[in-house]
Amino acid sequence: MPAPTRSLGPALPAVPTLGLGSWNTWDRMGHDDAVGMIRTAAASGAGFFDVAYYNMGPHAENSKTDIVFGRALADSGVAREDVFLCGKLWLWDWPNQDFRRQLRESLDRAGIDRFDAVVVGDYLDAPDMERLVGEVGELVGEGLVGAWGINNWVIDDTRRALEVAAASGGEAPSFAQLKYGIARRAMADGAPYAELFGSGMLGLQASDAFEGGVLLGRDPQRKIGADVGGIRARVAAVAPEVARVAAEFDATPAQLAIAWCLADARVGNVLFGASRPEQLAANLGAIELAAAHGPELRAALAQLQCDTEVSPDGRWMP
């Protein structure tokens, strides 16, 4: 079953509902596997790719995952217009490293001409929102970026970005990339962000639905996403129940985790990691699973939320 498309906010066309993340993925596979992964995703209608350069803040890893992806895309034979590429702009060293400089470096490293969207990423202190919206707007106006979203922002800052854009006639964020899945739901389901999703002002991109593999019963020996709220032990504890429910639906835990997100009509795209072509091929089964059993599996997993004590406004982020 090919991947359907959905809205990811008011500034974007419909996008594939499944997206492949880049952190610790492309640089963990060989060139031929990377080429195969891109071809499989594009042919399945799931050609949404995160293409980030991890080079500052807690991600000062000087990763080559974006370079590996770019070379594989060039050799895949897949046309640029047949994929959706989403980059990352970081706030850790902004405005010292301004967005234009970051963007040019990312595009050059990946060997591509533009991003269809960018996510403005993590930060410690509230940014100068007028400057931020202005800088991103310039990149959109020049055709280097199609639209932009935010990544786990404090809700007050997200609202401020929307207000600044409305007042200035600038480019507003179109979507929010939030940690969202069976175990983590506080921000996406909490009233502050839910109001923006419900009004159509923002689309929702679900990320980290596997909890770095912990929700799937794995013990990852690599760097994974931050354990915001300190709930990872709880997530590990519910993994056997996730596996049990998955078996009831004749599915894998990964398929179940993706399908749980897809069964939420607010979700425009689910971003997940895969480092082997067979993982992607298997995970595509989540589309049919969600279409056939969405309400049932959501009900079966309703009690497995692990972050019920976490504030939904994002103030718990590091």
Side-chain angles (χ1 to χ4, degrees):
M1 184 176 182
T5 59
R6 291 184 186 176
S7 170
L8 193 57
L12 284 168
V15 303
T17 54
L18 297 186
L20 286 173
S22 59
W23 190 36
N24 291 319
T25 57
W26 301 103
D27 49 356
R28 294 171 61 207
M29 66 182 89
H31 181 73
D32 290 346
D33 278 351
V35 168
M37 184 92 78
I38 291 170
R39 288 173 176 166
T40 298
S44 304
F48 185 116
F49 300 101
D50 172 86
V51 189
Y53 176 26
Y54 299 96
N55 69 331
M56 64 180 68
H59 299 305
E61 301 153 6
N62 293 314
S63 167
K64 294 184 179 180
T65 190
D66 52 332
I67 296 175
V68 174
F69 170 82
R71 290 172 178 167
L73 178 63
D75 290 346
S76 70
V78 174
R80 173 65 181 84
E81 58 269 23
D82 291 336
V83 294
F84 187 100
L85 304 182
C86 185
K88 225 28 170 294
L89 297 175
W90 301 105
L91 286 167
W92 297 109
D93 193 30
W94 179 86
N96 181 48
Q97 291 194 44
D98 63 50
F99 289 154
R100 182 177 302 278
R101 175 182 168 188
Q102 291 187 45
L103 184 73
R104 285 294 186 188
E105 187 173 22
S106 289
L107 292 174
D108 289 347
R109 285 171 59 89
I112 55 180
D113 60 341
R114 70 191 187 282
F115 283 121
D116 299 294
V118 292
V119 174
V120 179
D122 307 342
Y123 60 95
L124 293 173
D125 300 310
D128 178 341
M129 202 61 70
E130 285 78 7
R131 179 169 181 172
L132 186 155
V133 171
E135 282 194 20
V136 177
E138 289 178 3
L139 300 176
V140 172
E142 294 173 23
L144 295 173
V145 171
W148 68 288
I150 61 91
N151 175 40
N152 296 316
W153 279 19
V154 172
I155 186 63
D156 291 346
D157 295 330
T158 302
R159 287 174 175 150
R160 177 64 178 153
L162 291 166
E163 292 167 358
V164 168
S168 65
E171 193 73 24
S174 186
F175 63 99
Q177 181 188 100
L178 302 181
K179 287 177 179 286
Y180 185 50
I182 294 168
R184 291 189 188 266
R185 316 175 194 175
M187 285 184 75
D189 284 354
Y193 267 104
E195 179 183 357
L196 296 179
F197 299 142
S199 69
M201 296 182 72
L202 280 180
L204 171 59
Q205 182 181 48
S207 72
D208 207 16
F210 298 162
E211 192 75 17
V214 174
L215 186 71
L216 310 183
R218 301 172 188 162
D219 181 18
Q221 300 302 304
R222 57 181 174 82
K223 188 176 180 181
I224 62 176
D227 181 17
V228 289
I231 64 164
R232 188 149 290 151
R234 298 183 203 172
V235 176
V238 303
E241 180 65 6
V242 171
R244 185 192 69 78
V245 174
E248 287 186 350
F249 287 96
D250 194 24
T252 67
Q255 289 172 337
L256 189 73
I258 296 170
W260 186 92
C261 295
L262 291 177
D264 183 344
R266 304 173 307 162
V267 173
N269 176 265
V270 183
L271 189 66
F272 61 91
S275 58
R276 300 191 308 276
E278 56 267 30
Q279 286 180 321
L280 171 60
N283 289 348
L284 289 170
I287 299 168
E288 186 171 353
L289 178 63
H293 301 292
E296 300 166 58
L297 63 87
R298 293 277 295 191
L301 298 162
Q303 302 305 314
L304 299 189
Q305 180 178 0
C306 297
D307 63 347
T308 54
E309 300 171 5
V310 173
S311 171
D313 63 8
R315 297 188 186 281
W316 44 274
M317 291 297 293

